């Protein structure tokens, strides 16, 4: 037995299943946890279990939430006629942090990726189309500017355009604080295409 | 409220207290855990709690263990007349992986570091000296080759030398697979000083 304790081995095993945490990092975490006061470790363990117990998906927008429908969907101060379509729940988080968006969201749960066998039926596309029947004025396509995200945006645009709502795609360009010199050609092309009149 | 869920916020908070995991990584871990089947998260949480419940320090060598004294101290096939002194329990792990060492260990619980207020009384030095009374033939000083580890090794050597056991320090030199060109001067000096007759 490499480790003089099965509990240590089990904890390393469990931690190294997390993304970005290899066996070596897991080992470091375990030795850290062994030094930490017990209540802190119990708090961590309880927080992880609570995550699975309390958090589910909003039945309208599929964002993560503890109450269904989620606080964003039920907030009367938000513009229910604008829907921002994103790939994942953490994209909602990123957009909410800006404080600039006051409409609703729709979380697809991923992006189209034929190579990984992810088609429209694996995403919340049908659910989005159903929401469009309740008089939506604008759809903002905020999938990632990756090959998959772009393909998803184009696919959705083709579906939504005949139904009438205003369609937009988030701007792709040089990030603020970035440097033209180090931008790749595609980003630079998009930044030129998406230039704004001043 | 930035997150639409208190449970998510609590889990991010708890995870970001771990070393090497910032708020952003914690967020990524939480969104990963939200997608993982519930039993897996429960296994992880239980493993962390079990760590604190089952693992303690061996009363002889202060290595982590589930049984006291630890399996290394009680193994009759190990040479109880050789003690390898290390800073932390994970150093024992690293040495055990080599499969080359068959003596016992003594885990100091750190290294001397006056700047951090860590003196000999904060380490298991007194306990090491007590063990020396039971006829120890060799002490291997395997503290890290850092300023603190070297200071600790020198301090212990001065204490132990008058008592008679053979004293040795692990070799410091170019790591296997390493390159002289990229080695720092101190490592290279140590490699020269520690050269072995061929």
């Amino acid at each position: 037995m490499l480790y003089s304790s099965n509990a240590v081995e089990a904890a390393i095993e469990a931690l190294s299943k997390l993304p970005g945490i290899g066996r070596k990092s897991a080992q470091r975490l375990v030795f850290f946890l062994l030094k930490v006061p017990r209540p802190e470790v119990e708090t961590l363990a309880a927080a992880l279990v609570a995550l699975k117990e309390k958090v589910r998906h909003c039945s309208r927008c599929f964002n993560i939430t503890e109450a269904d429908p989620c606080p964003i969907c039920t907030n009367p101060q938000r513009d229910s006629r604008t829907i921002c379509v994103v790939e994942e729940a953490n994209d909602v988080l990123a957009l909410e942090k800006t404080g600039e968006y006051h409409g609703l969201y729709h979380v697809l749960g991923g992006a189209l990726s034929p190579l990984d066998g992810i088609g429209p039926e694996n995403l919340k596309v049908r659910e989005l189309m159903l929401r469009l029947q309740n008089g939506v004025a604008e759809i903002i396509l905020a999938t990632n500017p990756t090959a998959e995200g772009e393909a998803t945006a184009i696919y959705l645009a083709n579906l939504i355009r005949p139904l009438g709502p205003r369609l937009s795609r988030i701007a792709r360009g040089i990030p603020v604080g970035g440097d033209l010199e180090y931008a790749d050609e595609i980003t630079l092309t998009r930044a030129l295409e998406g230039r704004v009149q001043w």
Side-chain angles (χ1 to χ4, degrees), chain A:
Chain A
M1 179 174 57
L2 253 184
Y3 295 92
S4 41
S5 156
N6 289 326
V8 168
E9 182 52 46
I12 292 177
E13 192 67 35
L15 283 169
S16 59
K17 282 184 186 156
L18 298 176
I21 298 185
R23 224 189 135 70
K24 205 88 186 186
S25 313
Q27 197 176 302
R28 196 156 37 89
L29 288 177
V30 163
F31 282 104
F32 170 83
L33 291 172
L34 282 171
K35 286 193 166 185
V36 146
R38 183 165 165 168
E40 275 188 44
V41 178
E42 286 171 342
T43 304
L44 170 62
L48 299 184
V49 171
L51 209 55
K52 299 307 278 191
E53 239 162 40
K54 294 192 187 154
V55 181
R56 45 206 161 140
H57 293 279
C58 171
S59 59
R60 291 191 199 167
C61 71
F62 301 97
N63 186 14
I64 52 163
T65 178
E66 290 183 28
D68 188 17
C70 75
I72 295 177
C73 283
T74 52
N75 186 341
Q77 297 189 313
R78 297 194 74 119
D79 171 16
S80 66
R81 289 173 54 78
T82 306
I83 294 179
C84 179
V85 181
V86 295
E87 292 180 21
E88 301 286 357
N90 31 3
D91 301 329
V92 172
L93 210 69
L95 287 162
E96 282 298 287
K97 274 188 189 159
T98 67
E100 290 294 318
Y101 179 67
H102 306 290
L104 305 185
Y105 291 96
H106 190 85
V107 180
L108 292 171
L112 293 177
S113 178
L115 284 177
D116 302 316
I118 299 175
E121 66 284 0
N122 303 112
L123 306 176
K124 303 294 181 191
V125 171
R126 206 171 54 88
E127 290 81 353
L128 174 62
M129 301 317 282
L130 287 174
R131 287 179 76 185
L132 292 185
Q133 299 177 345
N134 308 325
V136 170
E138 179 171 5
I139 297 280
I140 302 171
L141 298 169
T143 52
N144 291 326
T146 56
E148 291 81 8
E150 291 289 350
T152 310
I154 293 167
Y155 173 84
L156 290 176
N158 288 335
L159 277 186
I160 296 167
R161 195 165 286 118
L163 304 178
R166 206 141 32 99
L167 258 179
S168 60
R169 176 90 175 103
I170 47 158
R172 288 140 300 173
I174 316 287
V176 176
D179 198 320
L180 257 74
E181 189 182 355
Y182 299 115
D184 62 287
E185 295 83 356
I186 302 177
T187 299
L188 219 47
T189 307
R190 291 274 180 281
L192 277 173
E193 286 174 356
R195 67 188 181 278
V196 195
Q197 192 94 47
W198 260 32

